[in-house]
Amino acid sequence: MSATVQDWLGMSRDELDTLYRDATPGEIPQGDTRGTPIVAGTPLAKAFATFARLFAWQGKVFDMFAEDGSAGVLVNKVSPFGLGFIVAKVYRAPSWMDGQPTIVIDYSRTSFFFRAVRDEIREIEPGVYLGKVWLGKRRILDFALELPKGD
């Protein structure tokens, strides 16, 4: 986990929201990313992130199919084995948080169990993304995605 993401684990939800609002979408990630769930505002954020990464969710693998890199699909890496599961469409659209452009991860047409979930991400620094998870129109969680160094 990068120093940037470690810093995010110590931030409040308001601080993470400001960071997200001040960012632009950046490039849609391509390939394998490492994920870190962020439960903001709790002293147990680092422990939760470590536990969740080991046993529940390790990140996302993006596959862009539009020639211009504007749309694609992804699969989440879940379980202690990082199995590919839970597919989503990826595209650019306005954010539910502030109406500004963002990268949307949309499960509504690809997953029966997660169809009410929508993720949004913005690139905070090269290869490091801050994400917001929505359940319906209610935001429930933050997360980080990191591309491997050198990508």
Side-chain angles (χ1 to χ4, degrees):
M1 174 183 332
S2 71
T4 298
V5 174
Q6 287 181 16
D7 289 344
W8 293 353
L9 292 172
M11 291 182 164
S12 70
R13 192 171 202 187
D14 288 341
E15 290 170 320
L16 290 169
D17 289 351
T18 298
L19 189 62
Y20 182 84
R21 284 186 186 105
D22 290 346
T24 61
E27 296 298 317
I28 296 177
Q30 177 65 30
D32 197 359
T33 62
R34 183 174 187 185
T36 303
I38 302 171
V39 179
T42 175
L44 299 176
K46 289 182 182 182
F48 176 81
T50 301
F51 180 83
R53 184 181 298 141
L54 286 173
F55 298 105
W57 178 73
Q58 290 79 39
K60 302 175 185 290
V61 180
F62 290 79
D63 183 16
M64 303 315 294
F65 57 74
E67 286 186 27
D68 64 357
S70 65
V73 295
L74 68 72
V75 64
N76 284 273
K77 299 182 297 183
V78 296
S79 86
F81 307 107
L83 301 174
F85 187 64
I86 312 170
V87 175
K89 291 185 177 185
V90 181
Y91 53 86
R92 295 176 185 275
S95 169
W96 285 356
M97 178 173 280
D98 60 10
Q100 297 302 307
T102 197
I103 300 166
V104 173
I105 300 168
D106 181 357
Y107 300 92
S108 66
R109 296 186 189 139
T110 58
S111 174
F112 178 77
F113 293 108
F114 294 92
R115 67 178 169 225
V117 176
R118 170 184 160 129
D119 297 342
E120 298 181 1
I121 60 173
R122 288 186 178 153
E123 192 171 23
I124 306 302
E125 63 184 49
V128 183
Y129 297 80
L130 177 59
K132 307 292 180 183
V133 180
W134 299 86
L135 181 60
K137 290 282 190 167
R138 182 171 180 245
R139 191 163 52 99
I140 59 170
L141 188 68
D142 294 285
F143 66 95
L145 291 175
E146 299 175 88
L147 288 167
K149 297 292 182 204
D151 283 6

